[in-house]
């Protein structure tokens, strides 16, 4: 038999197992964390800065995705028809 790794008092069948008292405490802690109200953060909205096409800056200001540019300009950059404006 082994001792519980949490409380180091009760005996358990395997070294990686917790005793029932410690399991109850861990489950209660998990339930309180699960049922706690979620902290909502304000979403940060990014806008596409635009692209350069043949050296001319085209401003966009459409809503961007996680990459930081809009879908249309991401496609143009992928095709090599435009470069990203910084």
């Amino acid at each position: 038999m082994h001792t519980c790794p949490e409380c180091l008092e009760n005996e358990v069948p395997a070294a990686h197992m917790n005793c029932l008292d410690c399991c109850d405490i861990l489950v209660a802690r998990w339930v309180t964390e699960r049922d706690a109200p979620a902290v909502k953060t304000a979403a940060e909205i990014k806008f596409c800065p635009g692209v350069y096409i043949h050296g001319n800056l085209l401003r966009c200001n459409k809503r961007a995705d996680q990459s930081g540019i809009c879908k249309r300009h991401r496609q143009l950059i992928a095709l090599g028809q435009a470069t990203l404006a910084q």
Side-chain angles (χ1 to χ4, degrees):
M1 293 299 262
H2 303 278
T3 58
C4 173
E6 291 286 324
C7 64
L8 300 174
E9 294 176 2
N10 298 329
E11 290 187 351
V12 291
H16 66 278
M17 297 177 72
N18 292 337
C19 66
L20 291 177
D21 296 335
C22 291
C23 286
D24 290 340
I25 293 169
L26 290 171
V27 168
R29 193 178 307 156
W30 175 78
V31 168
T32 56
E33 289 175 4
R34 182 195 66 185
D35 295 340
V39 177
K40 293 189 178 186
T41 58
E44 185 176 320
I45 299 174
K46 295 180 185 176
F47 293 99
C48 180
V51 293
Y52 284 103
I53 298 178
H54 300 293
N56 297 322
L57 176 62
L58 298 175
R59 292 276 178 202
C60 179
N61 290 326
K62 288 184 183 176
R63 195 166 181 171
D65 60 1
Q66 292 137 349
S67 66
I69 53 178
C70 68
K71 181 179 179 181
R72 171 88 174 130
H73 289 145
R74 189 172 58 251
Q75 291 171 345
L76 289 174
I77 292 170
L79 293 172
Q81 298 175 352
T83 56
L84 182 62
Q86 295 289 335

